[in-house]
Amino acid sequence: MMTSAEKRAAVGGFLWIVATVQYTVAQFVVAAHWRTPFSWRDNYVGDLGNTDCGDFMATYVCSPKAGLMNASFIIAGLLIVAGAGLLRSRWPDTGPATVGVLLWILVGAGKLLLGVAPENEDLSLHMIGGFGLPVASVAILVLSLTIRDTRLGMFGIVVAVFGLLGTAMSIFAPELLGVGGAERLAGYPGDIWLFVVGGAALLPGRRSAQVLAEVA
């Protein structure tokens, strides 16, 4: 029988899975409705939530389903924050683990901000929300180091390295993958990590304890 902590973690894991799945699906659906081809290499994810049609940062943007994308940002943000709190018991009771969880709460808040402040309506706030990408990689690294002797810990370290590499490319060499490609390299590893950790939290108690740190 599941303990109350295991039940909370399972709910948190489910919320993280829903957050990543709906966010991923929304991107494909919204991109498919563009009147001009959406470029996964040259368009930012935020372009999908742009509520106007016209040139934006040297690129033509027109996203008929912008409202759907912005709603997806907001939903993902809320679910990430809630999931982070519910999954706290599945990490070691240490300072670094607490910092990692708090960083994920900041990431969720940033994702929410992306939807509340589309890039064409308030670029400054939108960019603040965008800082969630490198913060997510740091959060993954911090949490993964607390369970570095597990497979999930090693997986998280690798994921964090890819995310930080994408962030570095976005800043110093965006032309290599395009601004959109570099942004996705920075952000998608975090989405994959959320999905994997969420799935691990849904496993039965003993099995879950093998892949997630368990508080005695």
Side-chain angles (χ1 to χ4, degrees), residues 1-175:
M1 187 173 181
M2 295 179 71
T3 65
S4 58
E6 289 171 344
K7 290 178 180 178
R8 288 195 300 273
V11 173
F14 177 74
L15 294 182
W16 273 8
I17 289 173
V18 173
T20 55
V21 170
Q22 67 85 28
Y23 176 64
T24 301
V25 171
Q27 291 180 64
F28 281 97
V29 171
V30 176
H33 282 82
W34 272 44
R35 297 187 179 91
T36 56
F38 178 81
S39 173
W40 297 89
R41 183 183 191 280
D42 298 318
N43 281 110
Y44 292 103
V45 176
D47 291 345
L48 294 171
N50 193 305
T51 58
D52 196 9
C53 286
D55 291 330
F56 183 82
M57 297 182 70
T59 303
Y60 182 76
V61 174
C62 191
S63 184
K65 297 292 183 181
L68 175 60
M69 192 67 240
N70 290 324
S72 178
F73 280 131
I74 293 170
I75 291 170
L78 292 173
L79 294 181
I80 288 172
V81 170
L86 290 167
L87 282 162
R88 176 61 188 92
S89 65
R90 306 307 276 166
W91 303 104
D93 189 13
T94 63
T98 298
V99 170
V101 171
L102 291 175
L103 287 176
W104 267 114
I105 291 174
L106 287 178
V107 172
K111 186 83 77 172
L112 188 153
L113 191 58
L114 293 175
V116 171
E119 61 183 17
N120 63 300
E121 295 184 7
D122 195 327
L123 183 58
S124 297
L125 282 179
H126 191 84
M127 291 181 68
I128 291 174
F131 278 113
L133 291 183
V135 173
S137 295
V138 173
I140 293 170
L141 182 61
V142 171
L143 287 173
S144 298
L145 287 174
T146 68
I147 55 169
R148 56 185 174 275
D149 293 331
T150 68
R151 289 182 179 179
L152 185 62
M154 294 304 300
F155 169 74
I157 292 171
V158 172
V159 165
V161 169
F162 273 99
L164 292 171
L165 175 62
T167 298
M169 290 182 67
S170 295
I171 298 171
F172 301 110
E175 68 280 357

